[in-house]
Every structure is written in structure tokens, then in C-alpha cells.
Amino acid sequence: MKETTAKKKFMWNMAGSLCNSLSSMLLLIIVNRISGESRGGFFALAYSTAQLLFSVGGFEIRPVQSTDIKNKFTFNQYFTSRMLNCIIMLICMIGYIVVNGYTGVEALTVFWILGYRMVEAVADVYSGLFQQRERIDISGKEMLMRSGISTITFTIILWLTDNLLYAAMTLTLTSLVIMLFYDLHMKKYFEPTPVHLEWRGILGIYNACWPLFVSSFIMNYLNNAPKYAINTYYDETVQNSYNILFMPAFVINLLSLFVFRPLLTDLARDWEGENIKEFTDIVKKMMILIGALTIAACVGAYLLGIPILSLVYGVDLRAYRMELVIIMICGGLNAYVYCLYYVVTVTGKQIFLLLGYGAGLIFAVFLGSGFVKSLGMLGAALSCTLSFGVVFIVFLIITSCVVKDRKKKTEV
């Protein structure tokens, strides 16, 4: 395969990540513009749940796989564990539909929206292989094609039919076809052996990944908890408005991911090579970047956020300026949590992540719903922000302790 430069790797990863992350925002815009606020709220809740269940399908194998520079596990072992988790994800999808009382067309629509993220869970194991072999540009190209073309076909079908079920089916099937053709083709350049199930060793993968999975599931739940509370106490138009306000917060996380996800392999090498100074320098730079992005995003949200969002989505959001700024702060805290999550994963101390997420979960469960019930949209924004604030403080303490301990051992 033709070699590429570090600059091209970065650019393709940035393009793919940008397109993949913005697709959720674009899909919600499209549903609002074509089908209205009520359908927008329905779609937003289903898509948020799809993200939560994606953590089941992915089982957070990607961070372990992409930093497995010693090839402790084979690709087919990673693939086997991912297929098993996707079966569990499928069962959870059906369970979610039954428990929430969806029937008929609504049940099928929710199923296909959830299915879109299941396809992404399968594709992610190939992206992990490409990143492990230092070709993150290939996974970037795949994300760009799959999310871009899927979004276009979704838009065309919804515009022609105004039928969310048909559009959701098209979204998922398009993504599946692209994944099958592109990922399987590119995989042969790195793993010539045919893809097959390899059960030996997958318990080791689960042992390495289960703390990450639990952490990821709780993290996604913390993002979704205010949405579920809104679904309990308010109607789909309020749900739609909250999801619109929440969308820009992902921009901070997205821009941060552009920088530190490609650095994961470098972090792993520095940690394994006991280059603690280089390791901490990378972490400090990432933290400063996130802080700068958060400040800029909050200022932009206060000055221009509401007029732009109202114009783009066609929804009156003038009453929610302060809520938007609070949600942007939440986005910054979320990005910090993501950053430290990957840092701790590289050190192999991911079991300690449960302390941070456990603290955030306790806050969300016992106080979050009450915030939403009594304060409405403001309560939802505060609930999510304070939950991630708790997680961030605990993660910061954990990271500092782990790095200091390693530094002492290297100095002996």
C-alpha cells in the first residue's frame, strides 16, 4: 500500500471525524425542516439512545485495540468480541423498543435508527485496526464516505417521501453497504488472513475492556439522563429544543478529538518507554487546547448561538440563551473527561475510571431528574453540567496520582 504523510493522516482523520460528528446535527436539522418539531423530538431521543447502545456494541474495544502496539491480541479476536457485542446490542435494541411501548411504524423506525449505530459499531473494529497500524487516514476516509453518503441518501428519501421509516432504513442500509465494500477491501492490506471467528483469547479482551465499557455506558447515560427526564415530564417539542441546544456542545469535543485521538499511539509509546516528560507535555497541551476551545465556544454561543440555531433549525429558541452557555460549559467538561479517559486508558489503570463515572452517576440519579422537573430546560442544562463536573474532578485526581506514581518508579 502507498505510504502517506503525517499531515495527510491528520487531515483525513479530521475530515472523517468532522463529517461523522456533524452528521447527527445535520440529520436533526433535516428532520426538523422536513417533518417538523414533534418528529424532530422523536428522532433526537431515538438517536441519543442509539448512541447509548453503541457503547454496548463497541464495548470500548477501540482504545485498547488502537494502542495494542505489542499485538497482544489478533484482529480476528477483536472482531469476534465485537460481533458478540453487536448481538447483545441487537437484543438491547429490541428490549428498548418493547419496554417503551413502541409499536408498528414507530417501532420499526426506532429499530432502523438504532441499527445505524450498530453498523458503526462493526465498522469501528476495522477503524481500530487501521489506527493500530498507524493509518488513521484510512479510517478517516471511511467515516467521511459512510457518514456523508448515508446522510445524503437519508435527506433525499425523507424529502421525497416525508416518511421517517423509509429514511431511517436508507440511512442504515447505505452505511452497511459502504462498510462492507470499503472496510473489507482495505483490511486485506494489513491482515491478509480471512476474517473469521476466533474465540481463543477474547476473555482477555473483555477483561481489559470491561471497565472502559462500564465507564463509556455511564458517560453516555449522563449525556442522555436529562433527555429521558424531559421525555417523562414534557412533550416532544421541548425534547427537540433541548437536543438542538445540546448539539453545539459536541463541537468542542469534536475539535478536541481531532487532536488527541491521533496522539493515542504516541502516548502509548511514551508511557511504555517511560518517557514521562513527553507524556505529560502532550496531556498538558491537550488540556490547554480544550480550555481555549471552551472559552471561545461560550463567547460565541452567548453572542451568536441562539439566532443561528433558531435560523438553521427553524425553531424559536430565544428564551434559552443562558441554557445554551451552560450547555457549552458542559461540552468543555465532557471534552476534558474524554481526554483524561483516554490518558488513563493508555496507562492501563482504566479500572479507576469507574470511581469518576460512579460519582457522576450518583449525582445524576439522585438529583438530575429533580432539577429537570423543577427547573425545566435550565434544570436539564445544570444537571448534565454538574454531573460531568463531578466526573472531571475525580478523573483529574486519578490522572495526577497515576502519573506521579509512574514518575517515582522511573526515578528509582
Side-chain angles (χ1 to χ4, degrees):
M1 173 178 283
K2 188 178 179 181
E3 287 298 317
T4 188
T5 63
K7 183 179 179 181
K8 287 182 178 179
K9 289 178 184 179
F10 176 81
M11 293 303 294
W12 277 114
N13 175 64
M14 184 175 70
S17 299
L18 180 64
C19 187
N20 191 48
S21 298
L22 289 182
S23 64
S24 57
M25 186 184 298
L26 291 172
L27 291 170
L28 185 56
I29 292 172
I30 292 158
V31 175
N32 268 275
R33 283 295 185 179
I34 296 175
S35 301
E37 287 185 58
S38 181
R39 288 281 84 188
F42 172 84
F43 176 84
L45 186 62
Y47 198 90
S48 296
T49 302
Q51 178 60 34
L52 179 65
L53 294 182
F54 174 80
S55 61
V56 176
F59 207 76
E60 282 305 285
I61 290 171
R62 173 75 176 270
V64 174
Q65 181 186 10
S66 61
T67 56
D68 185 9
I69 56 177
K70 294 181 178 179
N71 294 310
K72 185 177 179 181
F73 303 105
T74 67
F75 172 74
N76 283 317
Q77 287 170 334
Y78 285 119
F79 178 82
T80 302
S81 58
R82 185 63 60 94
M83 291 302 100
L84 183 58
N85 283 112
C86 284
I87 292 171
I88 297 171
M89 180 181 177
L90 179 62
I91 295 169
C92 291
M93 286 163 52
I94 296 170
Y96 172 79
I97 291 168
V98 172
V99 168
N100 284 274
Y102 292 115
T103 57
V105 173
E106 280 200 342
L108 289 172
T109 305
V110 172
F111 179 84
W112 284 103
I113 293 171
L114 299 179
Y116 175 64
R117 296 294 286 173
M118 188 168 74
V119 172
E120 188 167 341
V122 177
D124 188 65
V125 76
Y126 291 98
S127 294
L129 170 67
F130 304 145
Q131 184 175 2
Q132 181 191 22
R133 303 304 171 83
E134 299 187 44
R135 289 303 303 267
I136 199 169
D137 55 306
I138 296 175
S139 58
K141 292 174 184 178
E142 192 269 353
M143 283 190 291
L144 182 64
M145 284 192 298
R146 185 167 46 78
S147 58
I149 297 173
S150 297
T151 301
I152 291 169
T153 56
F154 175 90
T155 305
I156 292 171
I157 296 301
L158 189 63
W159 179 68
L160 290 174
T161 67
D162 195 15
N163 187 308
L164 193 54
L165 171 59
Y166 296 160
M169 288 175 63
T170 304
L171 178 75
T172 302
L173 293 174
T174 303
S175 179
L176 177 63
V177 169
I178 293 171
M179 185 271 292
L180 289 174
F181 279 93
Y182 183 81
D183 288 9
L184 290 178
H185 171 71
M186 297 307 298
K187 178 256 177 193
K188 68 183 181 183
Y189 292 105
F190 302 96
E191 287 286 339
T193 22
V195 175
H196 62 272
L197 298 179
E198 186 177 332
W199 299 100
R200 177 181 54 85
I202 66 166
L203 287 179
I205 295 176
Y206 283 125
N207 186 53
C209 296
W210 77 262
L212 298 177
F213 159 67
V214 174
S215 300
S216 175
F217 188 86
I218 294 174
M219 179 164 59
N220 282 297
Y221 177 79
L222 293 180
N223 275 318
N224 284 357
K227 301 175 185 179
Y228 294 135
I230 289 171
N231 193 52
T232 300
Y233 299 116
Y234 302 97
D235 61 20
E236 287 182 336
T237 58
V238 176
Q239 181 75 254
N240 188 50
S241 295
Y242 179 77
N243 278 274
I244 292 171
L245 293 174
F246 204 81
M247 282 296 175
F250 283 110
V251 173
I252 303 170
N253 211 19
L254 170 64
L255 294 175
S256 304
L257 279 170
F258 287 161
V259 178
F260 69 74
R261 180 170 274 180
L263 294 174
L264 277 176
T265 308
D266 293 333
L267 277 173
R269 284 208 177 92
D270 286 335
W271 186 260
E272 290 294 331
E274 299 184 346
N275 301 318
I276 305 303
K277 185 180 183 304
E278 289 81 356
F279 181 88
T280 54
D281 284 346
I282 293 174
V283 176
K284 287 175 183 177
K285 288 175 184 177
M286 292 192 297
M287 300 290 278
I288 292 169
L289 172 69
I290 293 169
L293 287 172
T294 303
I295 293 170
C298 288
V299 173
Y302 183 80
L303 296 176
L304 301 170
I306 293 300
I308 291 175
L309 289 173
S310 297
L311 177 65
V312 170
Y313 285 91
V315 177
D316 186 2
L317 301 167
R318 286 175 294 177
Y320 303 127
R321 185 184 299 272
M322 185 54 65
E323 286 84 347
L324 177 60
V325 174
I326 293 171
I327 287 171
M328 296 309 289
I329 295 172
C330 179
L333 290 170
N334 201 340
Y336 273 126
V337 167
Y338 261 115
C339 175
L340 295 178
Y341 168 89
Y342 282 114
V343 170
V344 174
T345 299
V346 166
T347 68
K349 305 294 184 181
Q350 51 264 42
I351 187 70
F352 294 111
L353 294 172
L354 299 178
L355 295 175
Y357 284 120
L361 181 63
I362 290 170
F363 180 89
V365 169
F366 288 100
L367 297 175
S369 183
F371 272 42
V372 175
K373 185 178 180 180
S374 58
L375 298 174
M377 193 77 76
L378 177 61
L382 286 171
S383 171
C384 196
T385 303
L386 292 174
S387 296
F388 276 102
V390 170
V391 178
F392 169 64
I393 291 170
V394 177
F395 273 21
L396 198 58
I397 294 170
I398 292 169
T399 305
S400 299
C401 291
V402 169
V403 172
K404 283 179 183 178
D405 182 63
R406 184 58 173 259
K407 194 173 182 180
K408 285 180 182 177
K409 289 179 180 178
T410 56
E411 289 173 352
V412 173

